[in-house]
Amino acid sequence: MVFGARSIDDRWSCLHKTETTSFKMGSSLSVLTTTPRMQLLVFVAGKTQLIMNTTHELQSVGEGNTDKHEPEETNVCSLTLGPGSMLDGSTVASRFLHVELELNIHLRRLSFSEPVHYIYNPLEYAWEPHRCFVERYCRGGQNILFLGMNPGPFGMAQTGVPFGEVNHVRDWLKVTGEVGHPPSEHPKRLIKGLACIQSEVSGARFWGFFRKLCGEPDIFFRHFFVHNLCPLMFMGTTGKNLTPPELVIGERKALLALCDTALCQAVATLGITMVIGIGRVAEQRARRAFSAAGMEVRVEGLMHPSPRNPLANKGWEVVAKAKMEELGILSLLNINP
């Protein structure tokens, strides 16, 4: 795996302007952006060691081989980092983001057939607000993870935040950042980012519940974090949302195997001791992932707040509060620890 950086005007640039920077397979990456916007490119380059030299060229390193290499477009995952962003593994947040970047690389190798016609990955086009969310709220000491399945069209697909209903993300979580667009958009599911005026019911219920209990986000994030198992949203020809269980079985297995591995890595990175699956599918996947990995992580389940769930429509907050009381974690949401 090789990482390169280039400026927003599309010219290759060195990460350190006074020296040549090289990366080897499996090495960690430290990127400190010094321009208003810098694009991070992630691409697969086999076993070739590459360097970016001081004349802004990307070159291979070998016995007398200095041929220039540009990554093939199909292998490129482009992200935008804000000024001063550091992904060097020195913080819990940066290590968590590394796990997600690695998953993105693997997911780009997958292909999907009918009924899938559109695939959105907000961890690419909505990376800025996602990174803002993680760097602001992913901290050491959080030991309980709420786990969703995958993005919804008016939640994380718009904001890059799990259960990311726009109003709560923008006004309560104070998440900011530019949002781009997926390669192909369905006309009924256009990406508007933080300017989206349509509210996602599930996300409004989820974050609205904790907003009522905690008052301030910092109270919630003292002990809890929120994550989705899969960052991809799938849609059919009509724009109908497709969940991973609706995919062709072989494609679904390949997808979820990668996501399960990333989940285990994320949980280990955060030091999570309890995962609460939001919905039965997320709960079951978490149990399977940890069992296969031999990890001792407590897994519980909470009813999904989806409006398609009749029981949730009758009072999801009551159910959620009772479940958290049953699990002995409701007191962690008190203003006074």
Side-chain angles (χ1 to χ4, degrees):
M1 214 68 68
V2 181
F3 294 77
R6 67 182 179 189
S7 60
I8 202 65
D9 63 3
D10 231 28
R11 294 176 301 176
W12 286 104
S13 61
C14 295
L15 300 182
H16 304 284
K17 295 190 179 298
T18 58
E19 63 183 20
T20 296
T21 304
S22 63
F23 303 101
K24 295 181 179 180
M25 294 289 291
S27 64
S28 61
L29 169 71
S30 174
V31 176
L32 176 60
T33 62
T34 55
T35 58
R37 294 181 68 195
M38 179 175 282
Q39 192 174 56
L40 174 69
L41 294 184
V42 183
F43 56 94
V44 178
K47 293 184 178 180
T48 304
Q49 181 184 348
L50 303 182
I51 66 171
M52 281 172 291
N53 64 22
T54 54
T55 59
H56 298 177
E57 296 173 336
L58 189 67
Q59 299 178 329
S60 64
V61 177
E63 295 182 0
N65 182 3
T66 57
D67 294 335
K68 298 177 184 178
H69 286 263
E70 289 283 354
E72 295 183 5
E73 189 63 30
T74 55
N75 289 332
V76 173
C77 166
S78 62
L79 312 165
T80 302
L81 302 179
S85 295
M86 181 77 80
L87 292 181
D88 62 354
S90 63
T91 66
V92 173
S94 66
R95 292 193 293 273
F96 182 84
L97 289 171
H98 270 299
V99 171
E100 295 187 306
L101 290 177
E102 185 176 353
L103 176 61
N104 267 358
I105 295 170
H106 293 303
L107 291 178
R108 275 185 159 261
R109 299 171 181 167
L110 301 180
S111 60
F112 300 89
S113 56
E114 290 285 348
V116 176
H117 282 259
Y118 296 86
I119 303 173
Y120 290 12
N121 185 352
L123 295 193
E124 292 186 354
Y125 64 82
W127 177 257
E128 284 193 18
H130 178 76
R131 176 188 55 79
C132 176
F133 169 73
V134 173
E135 291 185 343
R136 183 184 292 263
Y137 296 117
C138 185
R139 312 160 179 169
Q142 296 161 313
N143 57 1
I144 301 174
L145 181 71
F146 285 103
L147 182 70
M149 190 62 203
N150 69 313
F154 303 109
M156 185 173 177
Q158 300 290 338
T159 65
V161 175
F163 293 95
E165 192 269 340
V166 174
N167 294 313
H168 285 85
V169 169
R170 183 186 59 228
D171 302 333
W172 191 55
L173 297 176
K174 305 297 183 183
V175 167
T176 61
E178 293 185 23
V179 177
H181 297 274
S184 178
E185 294 185 74
H186 192 283
K188 294 182 180 179
R189 295 292 183 264
L190 298 178
I191 297 302
K192 303 293 185 179
L194 296 175
C196 179
I197 61 174
Q198 187 155 348
S199 175
E200 182 187 70
V201 175
S202 296
R205 286 175 175 172
F206 181 86
W207 290 114
F209 171 67
F210 292 111
R211 185 176 188 175
K212 289 179 182 178
L213 284 179
C214 303
E216 296 297 330
D218 284 343
I219 304 302
F220 173 81
F221 289 104
R222 286 184 312 199
H223 302 283
F224 300 89
F225 195 61
V226 186
H227 180 55
N228 271 341
L229 176 70
C230 174
L232 303 183
M233 184 179 79
F234 303 93
M235 290 176 289
T237 55
T238 65
K240 178 183 179 294
N241 190 37
L242 301 170
T243 61
E246 297 175 89
L247 305 181
V248 172
I249 185 168
E251 297 169 359
R252 180 177 73 239
K253 286 183 176 180
L255 169 70
L256 293 179
L258 293 174
C259 294
D260 286 353
T261 297
L263 173 63
C264 293
Q265 292 172 342
V267 164
T269 296
L270 298 179
I272 296 295
T273 59
M274 179 192 295
V275 170
I276 302 176
I278 308 299
R280 192 174 300 277
V281 176
E283 177 188 353
Q284 291 174 343
R285 289 307 311 182
R287 292 186 188 279
R288 181 175 300 183
F290 300 140
S291 175
M295 296 176 64
E296 294 185 4
V297 180
R298 180 181 176 185
V299 178
E300 299 289 345
L302 175 62
M303 178 194 298
H304 200 287
S306 170
R308 292 187 291 181
N309 183 346
L311 294 178
N313 293 334
K314 293 180 180 179
W316 182 80
E317 288 190 0
V318 174
V319 174
K321 191 172 184 179
K323 183 64 177 181
M324 296 186 71
E325 182 72 59
E326 174 190 328
L327 296 177
I329 58 176
L330 185 62
S331 61
L332 298 179
L333 296 169
N334 291 339
I335 296 177
N336 296 316

